[in-house]
Amino acid sequence: MVDRLAFEDRQGMSPESLPKASPRRLVTTGPALALAAVASVVLLATGPLRAQGAAEALFSDEAGRVGIGTSKPETRLDVDGNARIKGTLEVAGDAPITGALDVGGDGRVGKTLDVGGNARINGTLDVAGDAHTKGSLLVGGETPISSQFDARGNGHLGGNLHAGGDARVDGMLNSRARYQRDDEPEASYEISPRYHLSLTARKYGGRTRTIPMDTLLALCADPDGCQIRLAATRWAGDGQTASGSVFFTFYYSAADGNWRASETAAAGATGVDGNGRTEHAFNLWNACFLTDGKYDRFVDQGDKEKGMQLLVWNGQVNANRTCELTIID
């Protein structure tokens, strides 16, 4: 709240003289600036308006451009820093934001949304033009975007993403799946797209590479498990550039490390991760294994800690063979 508002120009004008002259400066002594009061003052001001404080927080020039965190606004409203809005954000034109954007309600932008940092919208986000974020994008509801969607970080969407053009996410794009058990209320849980690990025999022959645990849990530890694609290329000759593969459903328990591969391709293999004994979820042509134990120089090191591994073995002899593991939520 604002404790005191006073207006002064270079001659030290009083608040009572506001209707008679042009204010130059707004001085606040309270802990925050009341935007409603500022808006009414801006409408009355005919010259530059400045809010004094630790860092010249608010500035309005003679052309009516308002800067927050900058004394050189280039647009009608120019915010240099983070923006947090507890209600609805509605922008008829472009919305360029240098820092982060945090909106407690819905976000609607008539043209382009361009955020220099992270963007978090607790409600829905509706963008008529392009949407660009250099950080992460977190949206609680639906996300209709008429043109292109570009997130340089991770994307977390509570509802559907509707992009009229291209959609690019440099990090992971997470959404939520609908889930219902018996007659209980419908719930949801986060789903991520996929993970791909490729190992060559020249580098990893006789060795394992661990799947990141956070990835394994995100993709395979939810109620519907994950799909495993285990493939090999160049297993017998360099001309075999198209993969030979199998696929099966895989379930992993975050609570106790129990895992199970589905009946179709993996013959119902089961095991307990971290129980000290190496157990294989699948063996592809004695060349590529999905396993819970670790190997080094073709020697079993046991299953001493939790973690699933991709193992490159010597059942196929071509030195340029590769093992390809893809996990799909």
Side-chain angles (χ1 to χ4, degrees), residues 283-319:
N283 171 4
L284 178 64
W285 307 332
N286 210 30
C288 306
F289 288 74
L290 176 63
T291 182
D292 63 7
K294 290 185 177 181
Y295 281 77
D296 185 40
R297 299 178 183 179
F298 295 97
V299 176
D300 183 2
Q301 305 295 311
D303 182 16
K304 301 175 183 178
E305 57 186 8
K306 288 185 178 179
M308 299 298 295
Q309 337 287 331
L310 177 60
L311 168 64
V312 182
W313 204 247
N314 59 0
Q316 302 292 329
V317 296
N318 187 33

Coordinates of all heavy atoms in Angstrom, one line a residue, residues 283-319:
N283 N 17.3 -59.0 -24.0 CA 18.6 -59.3 -24.7 C 18.3 -59.3 -26.2 O 17.5 -60.2 -26.7 CB 19.1 -60.7 -24.2 CG 20.3 -61.1 -25.1 OD1 20.8 -60.4 -26.0 ND2 20.7 -62.3 -24.8
L284 N 18.8 -58.3 -26.9 CA 18.6 -58.2 -28.3 C 19.8 -58.8 -29.0 O 20.9 -58.2 -29.1 CB 18.4 -56.7 -28.7 CG 18.2 -56.5 -30.3 CD1 16.9 -57.1 -30.8 CD2 18.3 -55.0 -30.6
W285 N 19.6 -60.1 -29.5 CA 20.6 -60.8 -30.4 C 22.0 -60.9 -29.7 O 23.0 -61.0 -30.3 CB 20.8 -60.1 -31.7 CG 19.5 -59.8 -32.5 CD1 18.4 -60.6 -32.4 CD2 19.2 -58.7 -33.4 NE1 17.4 -60.0 -33.2 CE2 17.9 -58.9 -33.8 CE3 20.0 -57.7 -33.8 CZ2 17.3 -58.0 -34.7 CZ3 19.4 -56.8 -34.7 CH2 18.1 -57.0 -35.2
N286 N 21.9 -60.9 -28.4 CA 23.2 -61.0 -27.6 C 24.1 -59.9 -28.0 O 25.4 -60.0 -27.8 CB 23.9 -62.3 -27.9 CG 24.7 -62.8 -26.7 OD1 24.4 -62.5 -25.5 ND2 25.8 -63.5 -26.9
A287 N 23.6 -58.7 -28.4 CA 24.3 -57.6 -28.8 C 24.0 -56.4 -28.0 O 24.9 -55.6 -27.6 CB 24.1 -57.2 -30.3
C288 N 22.7 -56.2 -27.6 CA 22.3 -55.0 -26.9 C 21.4 -55.5 -25.7 O 20.4 -56.3 -26.0 CB 21.5 -54.0 -27.7 SG 22.5 -53.5 -29.2
F289 N 21.6 -55.0 -24.5 CA 20.8 -55.5 -23.4 C 20.3 -54.2 -22.7 O 20.9 -53.2 -22.5 CB 21.7 -56.2 -22.4 CG 22.1 -57.6 -22.8 CD1 23.1 -57.8 -23.8 CD2 21.6 -58.7 -22.2 CE1 23.5 -59.0 -24.1 CE2 22.0 -60.0 -22.5 CZ 23.0 -60.2 -23.5
L290 N 19.0 -54.4 -22.2 CA 18.5 -53.5 -21.1 C 18.6 -54.3 -19.8 O 18.0 -55.4 -19.7 CB 17.0 -53.1 -21.4 CG 16.4 -52.2 -20.3 CD1 17.1 -50.9 -20.2 CD2 14.9 -52.0 -20.6
T291 N 19.3 -53.8 -18.9 CA 19.7 -54.6 -17.7 C 19.7 -53.6 -16.5 O 19.8 -52.4 -16.6 CB 21.0 -55.3 -17.9 OG1 21.3 -56.1 -16.7 CG2 22.1 -54.3 -18.1
D292 N 19.6 -54.2 -15.3 CA 19.7 -53.4 -14.0 C 21.1 -53.5 -13.4 O 21.3 -52.9 -12.4 CB 18.6 -53.8 -13.1 CG 18.7 -55.3 -12.6 OD1 19.7 -55.9 -12.9 OD2 17.8 -55.7 -11.9
G293 N 22.0 -54.3 -13.9 CA 23.3 -54.4 -13.4 C 24.3 -53.6 -14.2 O 24.1 -53.2 -15.4
K294 N 25.5 -53.4 -13.7 CA 26.6 -52.7 -14.4 C 27.7 -53.7 -14.9 O 27.9 -54.7 -14.2 CB 27.2 -51.6 -13.5 CG 26.3 -50.5 -13.2 CD 27.0 -49.4 -12.4 CE 26.1 -48.2 -12.2 NZ 26.7 -47.1 -11.4
Y295 N 28.3 -53.3 -16.0 CA 29.3 -54.1 -16.6 C 30.5 -53.2 -16.9 O 30.3 -52.0 -17.3 CB 28.9 -54.8 -17.9 CG 28.1 -56.1 -17.7 CD1 26.7 -55.9 -17.3 CD2 28.6 -57.3 -17.9 CE1 25.9 -57.1 -17.1 CE2 27.8 -58.5 -17.7 CZ 26.5 -58.3 -17.3 OH 25.7 -59.5 -17.1
D296 N 31.7 -53.8 -16.8 CA 32.9 -53.1 -17.2 C 33.9 -54.1 -17.8 O 34.2 -55.1 -17.2 CB 33.6 -52.4 -16.1 CG 34.8 -51.5 -16.5 OD1 34.7 -50.9 -17.5 OD2 35.8 -51.5 -15.7
R297 N 34.3 -53.9 -19.1 CA 35.2 -54.8 -19.8 C 34.7 -56.2 -19.8 O 35.4 -57.2 -19.6 CB 36.6 -54.8 -19.1 CG 37.3 -53.4 -19.2 CD 38.6 -53.4 -18.5 NE 39.2 -52.0 -18.5 CZ 40.4 -51.7 -18.0 NH1 41.1 -52.6 -17.3 NH2 40.8 -50.5 -18.0
F298 N 33.4 -56.3 -20.1 CA 32.7 -57.6 -20.2 C 32.6 -58.4 -18.9 O 32.4 -59.6 -18.9 CB 33.3 -58.4 -21.3 CG 33.2 -57.9 -22.7 CD1 34.3 -57.1 -23.2 CD2 32.0 -58.0 -23.4 CE1 34.2 -56.6 -24.5 CE2 31.9 -57.4 -24.7 CZ 33.0 -56.7 -25.2
V299 N 32.8 -57.7 -17.8 CA 32.7 -58.4 -16.5 C 31.5 -57.8 -15.7 O 31.4 -56.5 -15.6 CB 34.0 -58.2 -15.7 CG1 33.8 -58.8 -14.3 CG2 35.2 -58.8 -16.4
D300 N 30.6 -58.6 -15.2 CA 29.5 -58.2 -14.4 C 29.9 -57.6 -13.1 O 30.6 -58.3 -12.3 CB 28.5 -59.4 -14.2 CG 27.3 -59.1 -13.5 OD1 27.0 -57.9 -13.2 OD2 26.5 -60.0 -13.2
Q301 N 29.5 -56.4 -12.9 CA 29.9 -55.7 -11.6 C 28.7 -55.8 -10.6 O 28.9 -55.3 -9.5 CB 30.2 -54.2 -11.9 CG 31.2 -54.0 -12.9 CD 32.6 -54.5 -12.5 OE1 33.0 -54.2 -11.4 NE2 33.3 -55.3 -13.4
G302 N 27.7 -56.5 -10.9 CA 26.6 -56.6 -10.0 C 25.6 -55.5 -10.0 O 25.8 -54.5 -10.8
D303 N 24.5 -55.6 -9.3 CA 23.5 -54.6 -9.2 C 23.5 -54.0 -7.8 O 22.7 -54.2 -6.9 CB 22.1 -55.3 -9.5 CG 21.0 -54.3 -9.5 OD1 21.2 -53.0 -9.6 OD2 19.8 -54.7 -9.4
K304 N 24.5 -53.1 -7.6 CA 24.7 -52.6 -6.2 C 23.9 -51.4 -5.9 O 23.8 -51.0 -4.7 CB 26.2 -52.3 -6.1 CG 27.1 -53.5 -6.3 CD 28.6 -53.1 -6.3 CE 29.5 -54.3 -6.6 NZ 30.9 -53.9 -6.6
E305 N 23.4 -50.7 -6.9 CA 22.6 -49.5 -6.6 C 21.5 -49.4 -7.7 O 21.6 -50.0 -8.8 CB 23.4 -48.2 -6.7 CG 24.2 -48.1 -7.9 CD 25.2 -46.9 -7.9 OE1 25.3 -46.3 -6.8 OE2 25.8 -46.5 -8.9
K306 N 20.5 -48.6 -7.4 CA 19.3 -48.5 -8.3 C 19.8 -47.8 -9.6 O 20.5 -46.8 -9.6 CB 18.2 -47.8 -7.7 CG 17.5 -48.6 -6.6 CD 16.2 -47.9 -6.1 CE 15.5 -48.8 -5.1 NZ 14.3 -48.1 -4.6
G307 N 19.2 -48.3 -10.7 CA 19.5 -47.7 -12.0 C 19.4 -48.7 -13.1 O 20.0 -49.8 -12.9
M308 N 18.8 -48.4 -14.2 CA 18.7 -49.3 -15.4 C 19.8 -48.9 -16.4 O 20.1 -47.7 -16.5 CB 17.3 -49.3 -16.0 CG 16.2 -49.7 -15.1 SD 16.3 -51.4 -14.5 CE 16.2 -52.3 -16.1
Q309 N 20.3 -49.9 -17.1 CA 21.5 -49.6 -17.9 C 21.2 -50.1 -19.4 O 20.5 -51.1 -19.6 CB 22.8 -50.3 -17.4 CG 22.8 -50.7 -16.0 CD 23.0 -49.5 -15.1 OE1 23.6 -48.5 -15.5 NE2 22.4 -49.5 -13.8
L310 N 22.0 -49.5 -20.3 CA 22.1 -50.1 -21.7 C 23.5 -50.7 -21.8 O 24.5 -50.0 -21.5 CB 21.9 -49.0 -22.7 CG 22.1 -49.4 -24.2 CD1 21.1 -50.5 -24.6 CD2 22.0 -48.2 -25.1
L311 N 23.5 -52.0 -22.2 CA 24.8 -52.7 -22.3 C 25.1 -53.1 -23.7 O 24.2 -53.6 -24.4 CB 24.7 -54.0 -21.4 CG 25.8 -55.0 -21.6 CD1 27.2 -54.5 -21.2 CD2 25.5 -56.3 -20.8
V312 N 26.3 -52.8 -24.2 CA 26.8 -53.3 -25.5 C 27.6 -54.5 -25.4 O 28.6 -54.5 -24.7 CB 27.6 -52.1 -26.2 CG1 28.0 -52.6 -27.6 CG2 26.8 -50.8 -26.3
W313 N 27.1 -55.6 -26.0 CA 27.8 -56.9 -25.9 C 28.4 -57.4 -27.2 O 28.3 -56.7 -28.2 CB 26.8 -58.0 -25.3 CG 27.5 -59.1 -24.6 CD1 27.5 -60.4 -25.0 CD2 28.2 -59.0 -23.4 NE1 28.2 -61.2 -24.1 CE2 28.6 -60.4 -23.0 CE3 28.5 -58.0 -22.5 CZ2 29.3 -60.7 -21.9 CZ3 29.2 -58.3 -21.3 CH2 29.6 -59.6 -21.1
N314 N 29.1 -58.5 -27.2 CA 29.9 -59.0 -28.3 C 29.3 -60.1 -29.1 O 30.0 -60.9 -29.7 CB 31.3 -59.3 -27.9 CG 31.3 -60.4 -26.8 OD1 30.3 -60.9 -26.4 ND2 32.5 -60.8 -26.4
G315 N 27.9 -60.3 -28.9 CA 27.3 -61.4 -29.7 C 27.3 -61.2 -31.2 O 27.1 -62.1 -31.9
Q316 N 27.4 -59.9 -31.6 CA 27.6 -59.6 -33.0 C 29.0 -59.0 -33.2 O 29.5 -58.3 -32.3 CB 26.5 -58.6 -33.5 CG 25.1 -59.1 -33.3 CD 24.8 -60.3 -34.2 OE1 25.3 -60.4 -35.3 NE2 23.9 -61.2 -33.7
V317 N 29.6 -59.3 -34.3 CA 31.1 -59.0 -34.4 C 31.5 -57.7 -35.0 O 32.7 -57.3 -34.9 CB 31.8 -60.2 -35.1 CG1 31.6 -61.5 -34.2 CG2 31.2 -60.4 -36.5
N318 N 30.6 -57.1 -35.8 CA 31.0 -55.9 -36.5 C 31.5 -54.8 -35.5 O 30.8 -54.4 -34.6 CB 29.9 -55.4 -37.4 CG 30.4 -54.2 -38.3 OD1 31.6 -54.2 -38.7 ND2 29.5 -53.3 -38.6
A319 N 32.7 -54.2 -35.7 CA 33.2 -53.3 -34.8 C 32.5 -52.0 -34.8 O 32.5 -51.2 -33.8 CB 34.7 -53.0 -35.2

